[in-house]
Amino acid sequence: MAELFRIIDRFHIPGGETVYTVRPGKGALLRLDDILLDLHGNQFRVKGVEMPNGCFKDKPPMPMAEKPMGILLESIHGAEIKGSILVKDILEINFLFCNHPLFPCKVDEDYVEEYQAARQNHSCALFSYENLEAGKLTLYGENIFGLTIYRGWMMKPDLYRNFYALLEEKGIFLINTPEEYERYHLLPGWYDDFKNETSETVWTSGDRMEDIISETKNLDGSYIVKDYVKSRKHEWYDACFIRDIQDKEVAGKIIANFVERQGSGLVGGVVLRKFERLKQIGFHERSGMPLSEEYRVFIYAGKILALDDYWTQKSGAPISDGEYQWIASIAAKVRSNFVTVDIARKEDGSLMIMEFGDGQVSGLQQLGVGVFYGGRKGF
């Protein structure tokens, strides 16, 4: 059984040391002098384990009962902990994909290329998304244990929470907790932390037109309508872009179109985001929506894992050193182990955040599967 500890809090004590409050995974054991590794493979020695009486004492290996506990750590090579996960074994990451709905032992056809690339360097398993929606976990392929990244379709937070719990019972620990997944999958979860780097935004907690129209009273100019997760950007002119939010008739029609077309797929509520003029690179060949200079950044344990163009297949992104450092500062503020952030260039040349997403359900866009799953910058 894999042994994993999730960091849920940090407390700095006099003398410069830090006590980490961790929640042990199912079946985890811990004692003094154990070596733990973070998500980048940095090593830390356990100097103390906080017992119920508040003291730090050496104890024989014992199950931690999955309750929060305090541990005092010493860095072996002086590195700081990256991410919010510590493991006892050599850090190996599994991948879990959706299977084909008609052929259970085959990967979903949209993930064939990723699955084949992942299997070159990682253990991989499949599961039935359809069975999960019915409340049952059905696994196929390799037997996997320990730290795992899901790659597949978006899940509403309640479904992900159930998925996480069912996998944990089998000793499979998804890289992001349900709370971390929801924080970056849904716009209201990340907006306050990054509102100075993104477009001004308001939202409702449902799809009642009265509430939505009420939110437009103090707005001015052009806006984008979406829900907590997705827009209908390929229906740009009649269910996404509002040229003048104060033109109530036109704005109301576009918002109503969006809500109706999302139907039961609408997540959370309705979001209105201030339209920013971006550096245009053309128009989508089918939908006609304007395309801008955008980049998708995968962030792993607070660091940039990969950065590539969103729409085009250019050989290298024209990001300056200063801009890369700005993106790195964004990555360092992220409170999740694996996310994506989409960055766009405005007409004035500056960069802004467009969206965050949970990294497990974010597409690779133009990023090569070989790079992502085992290349120089990938896993």
Side-chain angles (χ1 to χ4, degrees):
M1 182 72 71
E3 296 181 79
L4 179 146
F5 304 84
R6 291 190 183 272
I7 299 171
I8 57 178
D9 200 5
R10 293 167 167 84
F11 176 70
H12 298 287
I13 58 178
E17 294 184 313
T18 301
V19 176
Y20 296 87
T21 303
V22 299
R23 185 183 301 278
K26 191 177 182 67
L29 307 172
L30 194 66
R31 68 177 178 183
L32 203 69
D33 290 328
D34 277 349
I35 302 298
L36 301 179
L37 295 87
D38 68 10
L39 292 177
H40 288 281
N42 299 312
Q43 296 181 332
F44 304 86
R45 183 177 67 85
V46 177
K47 291 180 63 177
V49 179
E50 188 176 26
M51 305 310 293
N53 60 8
C55 299
F56 287 87
K57 298 180 179 179
D58 186 13
K59 291 288 182 181
M62 57 183 296
M64 299 294 107
E66 303 171 56
K67 294 181 180 179
M69 58 181 298
I71 58 174
L72 189 64
L73 299 175
E74 176 185 34
S75 176
I76 302 298
H77 300 293
E80 296 183 359
I81 292 176
K82 304 300 180 185
S84 62
I85 288 176
L86 297 167
V87 295
K88 288 183 69 175
D89 299 324
I90 295 174
L91 190 64
E92 293 183 354
I93 299 175
N94 311 303
F95 286 87
L96 184 58
F97 293 86
C98 302
N99 69 0
H100 192 291
L102 299 179
F103 307 101
C105 293
K106 292 185 177 181
V107 70
D108 186 290
E109 58 187 11
D110 287 325
Y111 285 88
V112 169
E113 190 177 6
E114 284 199 39
Y115 179 66
Q116 291 174 343
R119 291 182 67 189
Q120 298 300 312
N121 297 289
H122 305 276
S123 295
C124 297
L126 306 173
F127 78 100
S128 169
Y129 194 99
E130 291 73 22
N131 285 356
L132 179 65
E133 290 181 309
K136 179 182 178 182
L137 178 65
T138 311
L139 298 173
Y140 302 89
E142 293 184 69
N143 292 321
I144 60 173
F145 301 95
L147 189 61
T148 299
I149 291 177
Y150 161 57
R151 289 293 296 162
W153 308 116
M154 291 183 180
M155 296 182 182
K156 290 187 177 181
D158 286 347
L159 183 62
Y160 184 86
R161 187 174 297 276
N162 189 41
F163 187 42
Y164 182 93
L166 290 171
L167 288 170
E168 190 173 35
E169 286 297 315
K170 294 183 176 294
I172 301 170
F173 304 99
L174 290 178
I175 193 164
N176 291 336
T177 65
E179 293 75 20
E180 290 167 339
Y181 177 85
E182 184 170 345
R183 181 178 298 134
Y184 292 95
H185 186 56
L186 307 184
L187 182 144
W190 60 263
Y191 179 76
D192 284 346
D193 288 342
F194 297 97
K195 61 184 178 182
N196 293 329
E197 292 89 7
T198 193
S199 178
E200 179 183 351
T201 304
V202 297
W203 60 82
T204 68
S205 58
D207 60 2
R208 293 179 68 247
M209 286 300 297
E210 304 95 302
D211 296 334
I212 302 166
I213 296 303
S214 177
E215 288 290 346
T216 70
K217 289 181 180 178
N218 298 318
L219 304 182
D220 185 55
S222 301
Y223 276 76
I224 300 296
V225 59
K226 63 189 297 292
D227 64 16
Y228 287 8
V229 178
K230 298 181 73 175
S231 68
R232 302 189 72 88
K233 59 188 177 185
H234 291 293
E235 299 165 45
W236 181 258
Y237 295 102
D238 61 347
C240 183
F241 175 63
I242 303 170
R243 187 174 301 278
D244 180 4
I245 196 70
Q246 287 302 314
D247 185 336
K248 301 302 182 184
E249 181 178 353
V250 173
K253 182 177 180 180
I254 292 171
I255 294 169
N257 285 344
F258 171 79
V259 171
E260 179 182 2
R261 295 175 191 181
Q262 287 294 88
S264 62
L266 188 142
V267 179
V270 172
V271 173
L272 295 169
R273 306 205 72 196
K274 183 78 172 178
F275 175 73
E276 301 283 351
R277 294 194 175 277
L278 305 177
K279 181 180 177 182
Q280 298 297 308
I281 61 173
F283 295 88
H284 194 274
E285 60 182 7
R286 284 185 287 181
S287 69
M289 66 167 287
L291 303 181
S292 57
E293 183 181 320
E294 294 183 50
Y295 307 95
R296 171 150 290 181
V297 185
F298 281 87
I299 296 171
Y300 179 70
K303 289 188 174 182
I304 297 171
L305 176 74
L307 183 156
D308 208 359
D309 297 277
Y310 191 99
W311 292 113
T312 64
Q313 295 182 335
K314 298 176 183 176
S315 57
I319 296 292
S320 70
D321 290 344
E323 290 170 339
Y324 191 91
Q325 290 304 312
W326 177 77
I327 297 172
S329 73
I330 297 297
K333 291 170 60 178
V334 167
R335 294 182 290 145
S336 178
N337 293 307
F338 185 43
V339 304
T340 53
V341 58
D342 293 337
I343 304 291
R345 190 176 301 280
K346 298 163 68 172
E347 277 190 345
D348 65 8
S350 63
L351 297 178
M352 63 170 287
I353 293 173
M354 295 292 284
E355 298 284 353
F356 274 93
D358 186 89
Q360 301 174 104
V361 296
S362 297
L364 297 186
Q365 295 303 116
Q366 309 302 326
L367 187 65
V369 293
V371 173
F372 187 77
Y373 286 103
R376 183 171 57 85
K377 295 183 180 180
F379 289 104

